[in-house]
Amino acid sequence: MPELPEIETIKRVLLPQMKDATIKTLTVKRPEVIAYPTAGEFCKRLAGQKICDVNRRGKFLTVLLESGDSFTLHLRMTGCLLVTPSDYPAEKHTHIVFELDNGNEIRFSDTRRFGRFWFFQNGETDSYSGIDKLGLEPFDRRLTSEYLKDRFGTRRKSIKECLLDQSAIAGIGNIYSDEILFAAKLLPKRPANTLIIDEWQRLISKISEVLIYFIEKNAVTPEEYLQGKGQEYRNTPFLRVYGNDDKPCPICGELLCKTVIAGRSCVYCPTCQGETEGI
DNA sequence: CGGCCCCTGACG
DNA sequence: CGTCAGGGGCCG
């Protein structure tokens, strides 16, 4: 469910609520959500630790502890993190509760239970979560048209798939790949090896533009975030194509089309994104 | 690469 | 009832 803009929002909302808090105890109700090392070890190691920072990398969050230990998490499709007063009613499917020394709790809930946590001791290398296989952050200055052309320029795979490839660019998912391609006026199914340098350039500039736009649109206060159960802050009204199939294109008014690319649903405007300009 | 897996819930 | 969902991993 959440992509880079949502993860960034979660980080911004939760960091001030977690920073400098100490984890008194924690409860893991579903051991399978702890991918490394084990649920028992996860609880034992984290109890008593003080939180000093939260970082985002792609769609991952890493919580840094004063000791130098850390834990990394990925929310996958339906994962949700909330900081709540300890007497706040619990969400269904709450799998981990961190009891903090400031009267609050960090709660992880996840309907589909795809989300995962990994714990690492100070100095231990994370070769488990997949965070080490991520490509460039979308706002990295090294993300240039040359970088993408080198990586994908001779490949036939669609540019939609290129955007979803976390080992090339980290953080773009199915919603924002559609939004970025719409903004860049490029057909999602275009094979990467047919793009000219100007088109790569356009794609690059729209990647950061669209993601920054949605990070801003998603901004919420901690109160609003909690009120919306960590879900409702997502500003679907601002999406221009995703979820709007069979509705008119916001630019030209033609009906948007829906298709499937690499097993993922994909919405685009055949006119604005240039159906006629060569597949 | 496609296909199937992990899960629950919403919707047709 | 079947299909689909914004995640990723694994398998042949």
Side-chain angles (χ1 to χ4, degrees):
Chain A
M1 135 194 309
E3 304 179 27
L4 185 149
E6 289 77 27
I7 303 299
E8 183 63 29
T9 300
I10 293 169
K11 179 203 140 168
R12 292 181 185 186
V13 167
L14 297 190
L15 174 60
Q17 304 184 81
M18 292 168 51
K19 190 172 166 54
D20 299 327
T22 295
I23 301 166
K24 281 163 66 181
T25 60
L26 59 166
T27 314
V28 176
K29 294 167 188 175
R30 286 281 190 172
E32 66 266 36
V33 303
I34 310 301
Y36 180 83
T38 63
E41 201 71 7
F42 188 82
C43 294
K44 199 167 78 185
R45 299 275 186 184
L46 279 173
Q49 297 234 36
K50 184 172 177 181
I51 296 169
C52 64
D53 206 359
V54 179
N55 289 328
R56 182 195 58 73
R57 173 85 171 94
K59 302 173 198 169
F60 289 87
L61 286 174
T62 297
V63 177
L64 302 174
L65 305 153
E66 207 171 50
S67 63
D69 295 353
S70 64
F71 66 91
T72 291
L73 60 101
H74 195 301
L75 298 174
R76 298 277 165 88
M77 295 284 270
T78 53
C80 176
L81 278 179
L82 293 179
V83 174
T84 72
S86 46
D87 58 358
Y88 194 82
E91 292 301 293
K92 201 178 171 187
H93 305 293
T94 295
H95 307 313
I96 308 181
V97 177
F98 301 75
E99 186 197 354
L100 304 179
D101 66 346
N102 59 12
N104 286 338
E105 291 180 353
I106 304 167
R107 298 176 183 177
F108 167 69
S109 61
D110 188 353
T111 308
R112 292 174 72 179
R113 241 179 294 142
F114 292 166
R116 289 295 179 267
F117 286 66
W118 300 262
F119 172 85
F120 301 101
Q121 288 180 268
N122 189 5
E124 190 178 0
T125 303
D126 175 2
S127 56
Y128 297 91
S129 70
I131 206 168
D132 60 330
K133 296 181 182 61
L134 293 178
L136 296 176
E137 282 293 312
F139 315 116
D140 192 315
R141 294 189 317 178
R142 292 170 293 174
L143 179 57
T144 61
S145 48
E146 289 75 22
Y147 173 84
L148 288 185
K149 200 167 184 294
D150 283 352
R151 188 141 182 146
F152 298 119
T154 63
R155 307 206 47 192
R156 261 205 309 259
K157 78 168 169 180
S158 70
I159 51 176
K160 162 98 171 166
E161 291 171 88
C162 297
L163 289 180
L164 291 172
D165 182 346
Q166 302 298 300
S167 71
I169 309 171
I172 300 169
N174 206 33
I175 295 180
Y176 296 110
S177 57
D178 281 3
E179 296 297 319
I180 289 163
L181 289 165
F182 178 76
K185 299 190 189 300
L186 292 169
L187 279 183
K189 67 181 173 193
R190 277 280 295 278
N193 63 5
T194 68
L195 259 64
I196 60 173
I197 198 79
D198 279 9
E199 292 174 319
W200 284 118
Q201 198 63 59
R202 220 156 74 218
L203 191 56
I204 296 281
S205 75
K206 292 302 175 184
I207 287 170
S208 54
E209 187 181 306
V210 167
L211 294 177
I212 286 171
Y213 171 82
F214 280 100
I215 289 171
E216 288 172 3
K217 289 298 182 188
N218 281 351
V220 284
T221 65
E223 294 74 24
E224 291 167 330
Y225 178 84
L226 181 57
Q227 190 123 31
K229 306 276 172 59
Q231 311 276 350
E232 286 168 28
Y233 68 92
R234 277 171 264 162
N235 269 286
T236 46
F238 296 102
L239 296 174
R240 295 203 284 173
V241 286
Y242 184 87
N244 292 332
D245 45 302
D246 291 332
K247 291 188 187 150
C249 167
I251 302 291
C252 75
E254 295 290 316
L255 286 188
L256 297 175
C257 292
K258 185 173 186 173
T259 185
V260 174
I261 294 175
R264 315 297 301 275
S265 70
C266 174
V267 182
Y268 65 99
C269 173
T271 308
C272 294
Q273 294 174 256
E275 189 93 76
T276 54
E277 293 179 31
I279 299 178

